[in-house]
Amino acid sequence: MKDRRIVILTGAGISKESGLDTFRDPDGIWARVRIEDVATPEAFARNPDHVHAFYNHRRKGLLDQAVAPNAAHLAIARLQREWPGEVLLVTQNIDDLHERAGSPALIHMHGELLKARCLACGAISPWREAMTIDSLCPSCGVEGTLRVNVVWFGEMPLEMERIYDALAACDLFVSIGTSGNVYPAAGFVTQARSNGRAHTLELNLEPSEGQTFFAERRYGPATQEVPAFVEQVLKDGW
Ligand code: BJW
């Protein structure tokens, strides 16, 4: 088992039972705000106050004491610790619940809500307060150059080369809590399949857009499906 490699992709569904909204469910974020108004570089250029307010609200929600990692985040951290081979965890989520669950390493391909990026010097800094058009960059001290460190539509997701290398070499690809609507993440399952040996598994509340690309599919809440999957893999493999 030592040389068997796993890639796990997570999406908003894994954090739903922790109290964070998904995007495309009927009660999701995109039912309340338009993508074009908050999640594109053009929206930020047009109305930075509005975009800051959207992310300030979500940052405050993430830091609410009621929000905590759930059994699914904890199970993935356990798999990362106990699996004798490599496990690459890639999340589309901008929350920090995998870190709080004890995941030793992960890629935030769509960035992180609790970090700021300076458009003047490029520095990435921890950021837990409200951000405004007057905020100062902690690194260069310039005013009005900060944006939240997330990946908007039309921007390049982070660490893609490392992710594609891992998909080309993996033996198991697992997609958890994602609707499969957003590329390039939605294409990872076909990338993994095309390496000729990867088993592919979808764990989601309901069938995703890309359900037919997966060799195996299990449906139910992440807090049930993910711990059961981790228990099984650590005992018997796949
Ligand atoms: C549960 C559950 C429970 C509920 N238990 N499950 C074709 C090819 C390539 C690109 C494109 C293309 N066509 C269009 C594009 C461009 C675009 C795109 O994909 N658009 C689509 C809308 C069509 N993509 C981009 O612009 C990306 N950049 C890019 O492509 O650069 C070029 C490039 C190409 C190829 C290689 C490399 C580069 C950037 C995308 C950035 C996405 N940003 C957002 C916002 C981030 C900041 C923020 O949070 O505000 O990321 S959008 C939003 O969607 C967020 C999410 O990470 C992302 C995915 O959402 P996710 O996680 O799947 O959530 P939901 O709500 O959709 O699904 C939740 C699921 O959970 C549901 O299925 C529920 O059933 C389930 N669930 N409760 C288990 N308890």
Side-chain angles (χ1 to χ4, degrees):
M1 293 209 290
K2 242 181 25 218
D3 54 357
R4 302 203 84 191
R5 298 171 185 198
I6 302 174
V7 176
I8 299 174
L9 172 71
T10 64
I14 197 172
S15 297
K16 174 74 178 174
E17 292 164 87
S18 291
L20 299 180
D21 287 331
T22 60
F23 293 92
R24 296 171 185 81
D25 288 313
D27 60 349
I29 293 170
W30 299 151
R32 296 192 295 273
V33 290
R34 287 175 358 123
I35 290 175
E36 303 77 25
D37 292 337
V38 293
T40 66
E42 294 77 19
F44 186 60
R46 212 167 42 238
N47 193 344
D49 279 329
H50 184 62
V51 175
H52 280 314
F54 172 67
Y55 285 100
N56 287 342
H57 179 71
R58 288 177 60 199
R59 192 182 297 105
K60 203 169 158 204
L62 176 58
L63 294 173
D64 188 301
Q65 289 201 335
V67 173
N70 64 47
H73 298 101
L74 293 167
I76 291 174
R78 177 183 170 211
L79 182 65
Q80 289 182 282
R81 280 194 307 272
E82 297 183 16
W83 182 252
E86 282 176 29
V87 181
L88 180 69
L89 173 59
V90 180
T91 187
Q92 297 170 86
N93 300 341
I94 63 172
D95 66 56
D96 64 343
L97 296 182
H98 284 301
E99 286 92 335
R100 287 198 233 168
S103 273
L106 73 156
I107 293 177
H108 276 280
M109 66 175 289
H110 290 165
E112 295 169 85
L113 183 55
L114 299 181
K115 291 190 178 163
R117 174 147 47 95
C118 177
L119 296 171
C121 73
I124 311 275
S125 312
W127 197 273
R128 298 172 79 84
E129 312 298 324
M131 192 181 289
T132 71
I133 51 168
D134 302 320
S135 296
L136 299 184
C137 169
S139 187
C140 67
V142 174
E143 181 182 316
T145 55
L146 291 186
R147 57 165 278 185
V148 63
N149 188 38
V150 303
V151 176
W152 289 319
F153 283 101
E155 296 184 322
M156 184 66 85
L158 308 175
E159 301 203 51
M160 290 308 301
E161 206 175 312
R162 216 177 123 205
I163 296 171
Y164 282 134
D165 285 350
L167 291 168
C170 74
D171 300 285
L172 173 65
F173 172 74
V174 191
S175 173
I176 301 171
T178 176
S179 64
N181 273 284
V182 175
Y183 286 85
F188 289 175
V189 58
T190 45
Q191 288 287 328
R193 280 175 74 115
S194 69
N195 80 17
R197 66 170 187 278
H199 180 59
T200 51
L201 169 64
E202 167 164 279
L203 302 178
N204 205 36
L205 194 59
E206 59 192 13
S208 72
E209 283 288 309
Q211 52 161 311
T212 53
F213 297 122
F214 290 87
E216 188 184 349
R217 303 173 290 233
R218 301 182 196 173
Y219 298 114
T223 53
Q224 287 176 24
E225 295 302 324
V226 181
F229 152 75
V230 168
E231 192 67 43
Q232 177 217 308
V233 165
L234 288 174
K235 197 159 156 267
D236 303 322
W238 54 88

